[in-house]
Structures are given as C-alpha cells and as structure tokens.
Amino acid sequence: MDLKLKVWRQSGPDEAGGFVAYDAKEISPDMSFLEMLDVVNERILEEGGDPIAFDHDCREGICGSCGMMIDGVPHGPKSMTTVCQLHMRSFRDGDQLTLEPWRASSFPVLKDLYVDRTPFDRIIAAGGYISVRTGSADEANAEPIRKKDADAAFDAAACIGCGACVAACPNASAMLFTSAKVAHLAHLPQGQTERYTRVLDMVETHDTEGFGNCTNHGACQNACPKGISVDYIAQLNRDLFRATVTTAADPVGS
Amino acid sequence: MRRVVNLYRSSVGKKILMALSGLILFGFIVGHMTGNLKVLQGCEPAVAGDHAAGLSVASQTCAIDTYAEFLREVGYPAVPHGAALWGFRVLLLGAIGVHASAAFQLWSRARAARTQGYGTSKDISFTYASRTMRWGGVILLLYVFYHIAHFTTGQAHSDFIAGGVYHNYVVGFQSPLILLVYLVANAALCLHLFHGLWSATQTLGANHPKYNHLRRPVATLLSLVIFVGFMTPPVLVFAGVIS
C-alpha cells in the first residue's frame, strides 16, 4: 500500500519546525506503524537526508516510549493500542496521514516526533515509592489483599507513562497519569504509609511542572493505550481533599 | 492551614471551588425554575383590598406575583423587608465570582500548558458539552445581564411594571425574538449543566463503582428537567395558551 505522510520536522528543541511531506510507497499491511517509519527513514538515508526521529524501545506496547499524534489522535485510530502495536492494516491504501509530536509546554520537542517526558519522572520521584522493611522478604500470603483492590491497583499500574493523556487533553493536563500512579499504590496495603503525603506531593509536582488542569473532558481515557479510567482522577481528588482537611498526611507523632 | 492554601493554589483546589460554587448556582436554578412554574397557575380576580392587586394588572392577583412578594418578605419580621432576598443575591454574586474567576485561572493555566497547538486535531472528549464549557459560561454570563435588565430592573423590557411579574412575563414572551433568545440561553444552560453536574461528582470524588453508571443519566435527566421546566411556560405564552 502507498501512503502520503505529512511529518513534523524540527531539528532541535529551540529550532523552528514545520511539516514536510513524504511518500511511503509499497508498505506491507502487516508492518507496524514504526516499521513503516523505519522503511521511510531507510529511503531518506539512501537519499542522504536526515531520518525522522521518533522515540521507541520495546515495540511490544509496554515501555511507553513510542507515541505520536496520527491525524490528531494520540497513538492513532485504534483504541487501546500503542503506535508500535498499530499495524498498517488499520489504514487504507492512499491515506494521507499527519504525524506530530505530543504538544505540551512541559514536553518540549527534542527532535521531530520525539519529546522530553522527564516531567513524568519527576512526578514519580515525588511520591512513587513505598516504605518497606528491608531484609528478608515477607511471606507472600501473610498479607491478603482483596481481589477488588488488587484488580484496581493492577488496572492503575497498567499505565506505561507514554504521555498520550497529556497529548489528548485540551488542557494538556497530566492528571490521568498522576492519578494512575497515586491510585496504584493507594489501593495496596504497602502504599498506605505515604498515601496522603504522596497525593499532596505528586499533585504539587504535577502543577509546578506546568501541566494544565483537568476539566473532566475524558479525552485522556479515550486516548490511553492501556485503558486507564478517569475514575482514578476522582479518587485522586478525594484523597487530595482528605489529605488537606484531615491529619491523614501528618507525620506520625506530630 | 498551609495545606488549605496549597489546595487553593493547586489545580484540584480550583476545581473543587468550581464544583462547590456551581452546585450553589444549580440550587438557585432549581428554585428559580420551580418558581417560574407558578406562571402556569395563572391569576384570580382580586379580593377587595388585596395589597398585590395594585401592583399587578389592576383587577387580578396572580400566583407568581404573590410568590415574588413572598420572596421579598422571607424572614420578616426577624429581618427587614427584602433583607433575606438581598443576602441570597450576595451569596449568588459571590458564587458567580468564585465560579468565573476559577474558570479564568484554569483557562489561563491550560493556555500556558500548551503554547503550540496541533496542526491536525480530533476531539476525542466524552462529550461536546465539555468542550463548550468556557464559551458557554461566557454566553450564560452575558445572558444573566440581559435577563436581569429584562425581568428584574426592566430597562430591556418594552412594558415593564415593577412587581407585576405575571404581566411582565406574558408580555415579554409574546415576541418571537425574545423567545428565541431564551431558547438559546436555556439550551446553553442545559449543555453547561449536563457536563457540569457530572463533572462536579468527578471533582468532588463522588465516585463509587456501584453508582458510577448512574452519574451520567442523572446529570442528563436533571439538565433536561431544567430545560423543559424553564421553557414550558414561555412556549405556552407564545402559543397563546397563557395570556
């Protein structure tokens, strides 16, 4: 199949960018989207050009590295699918596709379709840890966790931090990401020690990193390749409120 | 206290203010709508010496005029005439102020969070209503100014009688243009509530797997009830059923 691509090209973070048109000819429908870009890049290289830069790593939908806007939708038209797992059979011969990087002030473009997502790392660092006894591990069955809680924690933990929620959000908010990280640990007994300081610290970091605010559009949930629910945002709001008006977040003994 | 200040500063805190002030305003809207339905009760010939008779169309007393008079008298003699009404107006004004300023702060923050937009973008939000909240809110604010000038202070009314609510109402809605303005404004209100009511439950963390599936239908039902409740009497006036 043959496609026409309109790709955002930008040589560096401080350079001006613009769209450049490329032909993607003789593409197999069995290729992944990234393999299609690999083919396009091979041809650019053969002609002595600068290949299109995009972030990628595992190419099996679990690392969160890849991600770009395909025709205005994060990760392209297929729901709950990362770009690397998106196959060219999802498109039709002759399609014209616009490829853009995530757009958020907090995610500066490093090159072409490749953005800097380290603000996510700083949100994680602000609260994505637990206090555990070091030494020999506890007996695994010593602390039973209800199936309901285990499922809720696991669904939240499915977040791969790809940034599609920020990209899709009309406010460029990272609340879905932050709430998934908060809820993941809030549902488990191991996460209770820091439960309320965690939510305070992570939301504060979210805000200081310059992400927008959530106004419950729900675009993030629709864009999320892992199907993270906006219900986690409601849960974050509740925990944040409780941490503010009660002593739940106070250090023990104070 | 420091945490409360931090909450106010945080994006979530502003949303909480948004939700709470929105709920106050929704409470007012429910009361306003049920009050308006008194137009349907029409008028009765005045009893001699009835104090409302002089204010209304000379020879009759109307249910909504009596109700409007009651609103001024709430709390009397414990509080002076009209004091409770003015207290409530101040509360509403405060709620609008909080609602609008939080909206403005959130809007400017969101603007700063994405300075470069997309070349191509598709709206994948849950609803159209959510995307129109900000401009819809501005439309509603402008409408409120017009509405007060139309029915409360009377400058925008062609034949305004102070205290003659029923008269003002019926005369007001005989014009198709005015009916259209109210239709558009109420559609905007309905859309605003449709997202706002659901959104408030989300913001306030009223979220439970058992009841979550009810949030959307309840928000839809409430906003439709408001729309139908507000628009029924004007349409009946325009159709000539109420005169």
Side-chain angles (χ1 to χ4, degrees), chain A:
Chain A
M1 55 199 285
D2 297 337
L3 298 113
K4 286 193 184 304
L5 305 179
K6 211 174 92 181
V7 184
W8 183 264
R9 300 303 309 264
Q10 184 174 338
S11 52
D14 302 319
E15 309 296 323
F19 286 106
V20 178
Y22 294 95
D23 282 320
K25 286 206 160 67
E26 292 159 40
I27 297 297
S28 159
D30 297 326
M31 282 178 183
S32 76
F33 201 85
L34 296 187
E35 284 166 341
M36 181 275 291
L37 285 177
D38 290 339
V39 170
V40 172
N41 274 344
E42 291 280 342
R43 290 173 191 161
I44 293 175
L45 279 168
E46 276 168 16
E47 290 164 10
D50 186 23
I52 302 162
F54 57 88
D55 201 359
H56 63 109
D57 189 10
C58 75
R59 298 210 177 191
E60 54 185 22
I62 54 169
C63 76
S65 297
C66 67
M68 65 188 74
M69 298 298 267
I70 303 174
D71 271 351
V73 180
H75 292 294
K78 204 151 183 273
S79 75
M80 290 186 67
T81 307
T82 54
V83 170
C84 61
Q85 295 286 294
L86 175 70
H87 288 84
M88 295 315 291
R89 53 181 169 268
S90 300
F91 300 93
R92 268 178 304 198
D93 191 33
D95 272 1
Q96 198 158 12
L97 304 174
T98 307
L99 309 186
E100 283 178 89
W102 297 160
R103 293 290 188 201
S105 310
S106 308
F107 285 168
V109 175
L110 295 175
K111 192 170 193 290
D112 301 337
L113 304 174
Y114 182 11
V115 300
D116 178 8
R117 288 179 292 117
T118 45
F120 271 14
D121 297 340
R122 289 192 284 270
I123 293 176
I124 292 277
Y129 53 84
I130 56 169
S131 294
V132 286
R133 190 171 64 91
T134 53
S136 58
D138 289 340
E139 210 287 309
N141 292 322
E143 196 155 24
I145 299 170
R146 286 188 303 172
K147 173 90 171 84
K148 201 177 69 157
D149 291 332
D151 283 352
F154 204 84
D155 285 349
C159 168
I160 53 176
C162 66
C165 47
V166 176
C169 179
N171 303 312
S173 172
M175 260 319 157
L176 191 67
F177 168 80
T178 310
S179 72
K181 299 306 170 192
V182 165
H184 166 196
L185 296 173
H187 276 289
L188 297 174
Q190 291 87 346
Q192 295 309 308
T193 314
E194 290 93 1
R195 178 170 179 178
Y196 294 102
T197 49
R198 178 182 303 117
V199 67
L200 288 170
D201 293 342
M202 287 181 100
V203 168
E204 191 184 340
T205 310
H206 168 278
D207 286 357
T208 51
E209 287 296 337
F211 291 106
N213 50 277
C214 169
T215 50
N216 304 323
H217 284 287
C220 51
Q221 180 182 311
N222 288 338
C224 180
K226 294 294 150 184
I228 308 288
S229 163
V230 293
D231 289 351
Y232 289 121
I233 299 181
Q235 197 183 334
L236 173 145
N237 293 338
R238 194 164 57 211
D239 274 11
L240 186 76
F241 191 69
R242 185 179 290 175
T244 302
V245 299
T246 69
T247 56
D250 289 348
V252 177
S254 73

Side-chain angles (χ1 to χ4, degrees), chain A residues 8 19 69 71-74 98 100-106 166-172 175 200 203 206-207 210-219 221-223 230-231 233-234 236-238 240-241 243-244 246 249-250, chain B residues 3-7 9-13 15-16 105-107 109-127 130-132 134 195 198-209 212 215-216:
Chain A
W8 183 264
F19 286 106
M69 298 298 267
D71 271 351
V73 180
T98 307
E100 283 178 89
W102 297 160
R103 293 290 188 201
S105 310
S106 308
V166 176
C169 179
N171 303 312
M175 260 319 157
L200 288 170
V203 168
H206 168 278
D207 286 357
F211 291 106
N213 50 277
C214 169
T215 50
N216 304 323
H217 284 287
Q221 180 182 311
N222 288 338
V230 293
D231 289 351
I233 299 181
L236 173 145
N237 293 338
R238 194 164 57 211
L240 186 76
F241 191 69
T244 302
T246 69
D250 289 348
Chain B
R3 282 208 195 107
V4 174
V5 173
N6 284 349
L7 180 70
R9 288 215 190 106
S10 79
S11 53
V12 178
K15 283 170 42 172
I16 290 174
Q105 288 168 327
L106 291 174
W107 169 78
R109 193 184 286 219
R111 238 169 84 95
R114 179 174 291 133
T115 43
Q116 163 123 38
Y118 289 108
T120 308
S121 67
K122 248 179 216 139
D123 183 4
I124 54 169
S125 306
F126 288 162
T127 63
S130 73
R131 296 298 292 256
T132 52
R134 284 171 184 151
H195 178 71
W198 175 81
S199 191
T201 63
Q202 183 77 1
T203 297
L204 298 176
N207 177 297
H208 192 282
N212 276 356
R215 293 186 298 169
R216 199 58 96 170

